[in-house]
Amino acid sequence: MQRSLETEKIEKHLDVIGILFMVMAGFSLLTVVFIPFHFMLFQSFTDHFPRQANGPDPRRMIQDMQPFIYIVYAMIGLFSLFFGAITLAAGINIRRRRHFTFCVVGSALICTSFPLGTALGIWSLLTLLNKQTRPLFEQRTALGDADFLD
Protein backbone atom coordinates (compact mmCIF):
# COMPACT_ATOMS: atom_id res chain seq x y z
CA MET A 1 0.00 0.00 0.00
CA GLN A 2 1.44 3.34 -1.08
CA ARG A 3 1.35 6.00 1.60
CA SER A 4 0.83 9.58 0.56
CA LEU A 5 3.19 12.38 1.45
CA GLU A 6 0.44 13.94 3.56
CA THR A 7 0.10 10.74 5.62
CA GLU A 8 3.86 10.58 6.19
CA LYS A 9 3.84 14.24 7.22
CA ILE A 10 1.04 13.60 9.72
CA GLU A 11 2.88 10.58 11.13
CA LYS A 12 6.02 12.67 11.66
CA HIS A 13 3.93 15.36 13.35
CA LEU A 14 2.36 12.75 15.63
CA ASP A 15 5.79 11.40 16.57
CA VAL A 16 7.07 14.87 17.45
CA ILE A 17 3.88 15.70 19.35
CA GLY A 18 4.16 12.45 21.33
CA ILE A 19 7.75 13.23 22.30
CA LEU A 20 6.86 16.80 23.31
CA PHE A 21 3.99 15.45 25.42
CA MET A 22 6.45 13.20 27.24
CA VAL A 23 8.79 16.16 27.83
CA MET A 24 5.91 18.23 29.23
CA ALA A 25 4.97 15.29 31.46
CA GLY A 26 8.55 15.19 32.73
CA PHE A 27 8.37 18.87 33.66
CA SER A 28 5.08 18.34 35.42
CA LEU A 29 6.42 15.36 37.37
CA LEU A 30 9.57 17.31 38.19
CA THR A 31 7.33 19.86 39.92
CA VAL A 32 6.51 17.23 42.52
CA VAL A 33 10.20 16.99 43.45
CA PHE A 34 10.44 20.75 44.09
CA ILE A 35 7.34 21.03 46.28
CA PRO A 36 9.18 19.98 49.50
CA PHE A 37 11.98 22.45 48.73
CA HIS A 38 9.44 25.23 48.21
CA PHE A 39 7.77 24.31 51.48
CA MET A 40 11.10 24.44 53.35
CA LEU A 41 11.86 27.83 51.80
CA PHE A 42 8.41 29.07 52.81
CA GLN A 43 8.99 27.84 56.35
CA SER A 44 12.37 29.58 56.59
CA PHE A 45 10.84 32.90 55.53
CA THR A 46 7.93 32.66 57.92
CA ASP A 47 10.18 31.82 60.87
CA HIS A 48 11.89 35.20 60.62
CA PHE A 49 8.95 37.57 60.24
CA PRO A 50 9.50 40.68 62.39
CA ARG A 51 6.93 41.32 65.07
CA GLN A 52 5.54 44.79 65.59
CA ALA A 53 5.17 46.08 69.10
CA ASN A 54 1.37 46.34 69.15
CA GLY A 55 0.55 43.99 66.23
CA PRO A 56 -0.22 40.32 66.07
CA ASP A 57 2.52 37.73 65.98
CA PRO A 58 3.03 36.66 62.31
CA ARG A 59 4.56 33.33 63.35
CA ARG A 60 1.47 32.50 65.39
CA MET A 61 -0.75 33.38 62.44
CA ILE A 62 1.25 31.06 60.17
CA GLN A 63 1.01 28.27 62.76
CA ASP A 64 -2.77 28.68 62.82
CA MET A 65 -2.87 28.35 59.02
CA GLN A 66 -0.55 25.32 58.98
CA PRO A 67 -3.24 22.67 58.25
CA PHE A 68 -4.55 24.71 55.32
CA ILE A 69 -1.01 25.19 53.98
CA TYR A 70 -0.38 21.44 54.15
CA ILE A 71 -3.61 20.80 52.23
CA VAL A 72 -2.66 23.33 49.53
CA TYR A 73 0.80 21.79 49.07
CA ALA A 74 -0.71 18.28 48.93
CA MET A 75 -3.27 19.36 46.35
CA ILE A 76 -0.58 20.98 44.18
CA GLY A 77 1.46 17.79 44.38
CA LEU A 78 -1.50 15.55 43.53
CA PHE A 79 -2.52 17.79 40.64
CA SER A 80 1.03 17.74 39.27
CA LEU A 81 1.13 13.93 39.52
CA PHE A 82 -2.27 13.59 37.85
CA PHE A 83 -1.45 16.08 35.10
CA GLY A 84 1.95 14.49 34.49
CA ALA A 85 0.50 10.98 34.34
CA ILE A 86 -2.28 11.97 31.91
CA THR A 87 0.18 13.89 29.72
CA LEU A 88 2.66 11.01 29.71
CA ALA A 89 -0.04 8.47 28.84
CA ALA A 90 -1.36 10.71 26.07
CA GLY A 91 2.15 11.16 24.62
CA ILE A 92 2.79 7.41 24.64
CA ASN A 93 -0.58 6.72 23.02
CA ILE A 94 -0.04 9.38 20.37
CA ARG A 95 3.28 7.78 19.45
CA ARG A 96 1.71 4.31 19.38
CA ARG A 97 -1.39 5.58 17.51
CA ARG A 98 -3.76 4.08 20.06
CA HIS A 99 -6.79 5.33 22.03
CA PHE A 100 -7.73 8.23 19.79
CA THR A 101 -10.35 9.72 22.13
CA PHE A 102 -7.96 9.64 25.08
CA CYS A 103 -5.33 11.45 22.98
CA VAL A 104 -7.83 14.18 22.08
CA VAL A 105 -8.79 14.60 25.74
CA GLY A 106 -5.10 14.70 26.73
CA SER A 107 -4.47 17.33 24.06
CA ALA A 108 -7.32 19.44 25.39
CA LEU A 109 -6.04 19.04 28.95
CA ILE A 110 -2.50 20.13 28.08
CA CYS A 111 -3.93 23.37 26.68
CA THR A 112 -4.37 24.52 30.30
CA SER A 113 -0.60 24.63 30.78
CA PHE A 114 0.09 28.12 29.46
CA PRO A 115 2.06 29.07 27.28
CA LEU A 116 3.95 26.01 25.98
CA GLY A 117 1.20 23.54 26.74
CA THR A 118 -1.35 25.75 25.01
CA ALA A 119 0.67 25.87 21.81
CA LEU A 120 1.38 22.12 21.97
CA GLY A 121 -2.24 21.33 22.76
CA ILE A 122 -3.61 23.39 19.87
CA TRP A 123 -1.09 21.87 17.46
CA SER A 124 -1.92 18.37 18.63
CA LEU A 125 -5.67 18.99 18.43
CA LEU A 126 -5.34 20.36 14.90
CA THR A 127 -3.26 17.34 13.91
CA LEU A 128 -5.48 14.79 15.65
CA LEU A 129 -8.69 16.25 14.28
CA ASN A 130 -7.37 16.21 10.72
CA LYS A 131 -9.55 13.89 8.65
CA GLN A 132 -6.49 11.86 7.58
CA THR A 133 -5.30 11.22 11.15
CA ARG A 134 -8.14 9.07 12.49
CA PRO A 135 -7.52 6.22 9.99
CA LEU A 136 -3.91 6.02 11.23
CA PHE A 137 -5.19 5.23 14.73
CA GLU A 138 -7.76 2.74 13.44
CA GLN A 139 -5.23 1.07 11.14
CA ARG A 140 -2.75 0.76 13.99
CA THR A 141 -5.39 -0.77 16.26
CA ALA A 142 -6.35 -3.30 13.60
CA LEU A 143 -2.68 -4.19 13.09
CA GLY A 144 -2.09 -4.52 16.81
CA ASP A 145 -5.06 -6.83 17.22
CA ALA A 146 -3.94 -8.96 14.27
CA ASP A 147 -0.39 -9.24 15.63
CA PHE A 148 -1.66 -10.19 19.07
CA LEU A 149 -3.85 -13.00 17.76
CA ASP A 150 -1.10 -14.59 15.64
Side-chain angles (χ1 to χ4, degrees):
M1 183 170 105
Q2 182 75 326
R3 293 183 359 191
S4 70
L5 291 174
E6 185 67 23
T7 302
E8 288 181 14
K9 180 181 167 186
I10 290 173
E11 284 189 338
K12 287 179 183 177
H13 282 223
L14 290 173
D15 287 338
V16 171
I17 288 169
I19 291 169
L20 290 175
F21 263 68
M22 289 183 243
V23 169
M24 288 292 290
F27 286 137
S28 182
L29 296 173
L30 191 62
T31 302
V32 176
V33 174
F34 286 106
I35 289 175
F37 295 117
H38 187 274
F39 181 75
M40 290 186 308
L41 184 67
F42 173 75
Q43 288 291 98
S44 70
F45 282 133
T46 58
D47 287 343
H48 303 293
F49 277 149
R51 182 173 182 192
Q52 296 177 354
N54 299 2
D57 183 12
R59 283 176 271 171
R60 179 70 183 145
M61 291 171 57
I62 295 295
Q63 287 175 348
D64 291 342
M65 293 175 32
Q66 205 74 5
F68 175 73
I69 292 170
Y70 288 143
I71 291 171
V72 168
Y73 274 101
M75 289 179 65
I76 291 170
L78 289 174
F79 177 77
S80 293
L81 281 173
F82 172 75
F83 188 79
I86 295 292
T87 306
L88 181 64
I92 290 169
N93 284 314
I94 287 172
R95 295 241 329 139
R96 291 182 178 171
R97 317 287 190 273
R98 304 233 177 186
H99 308 291
F100 180 79
T101 305
F102 179 77
C103 293
V104 171
V105 170
S107 296
L109 180 67
I110 203 170
C111 285
T112 61
S113 181
F114 185 79
L116 297 176
T118 304
L120 179 59
I122 291 171
W123 180 35
S124 63
L125 284 171
L126 290 174
T127 303
L128 287 169
L129 298 177
N130 185 334
K131 64 182 177 183
Q132 295 175 337
T133 303
R134 183 69 186 246
L136 296 174
F137 279 78
E138 291 168 357
Q139 177 184 10
R140 181 68 177 204
T141 302
L143 281 175
D145 290 343
D147 289 343
F148 178 72
L149 296 175
D150 287 340

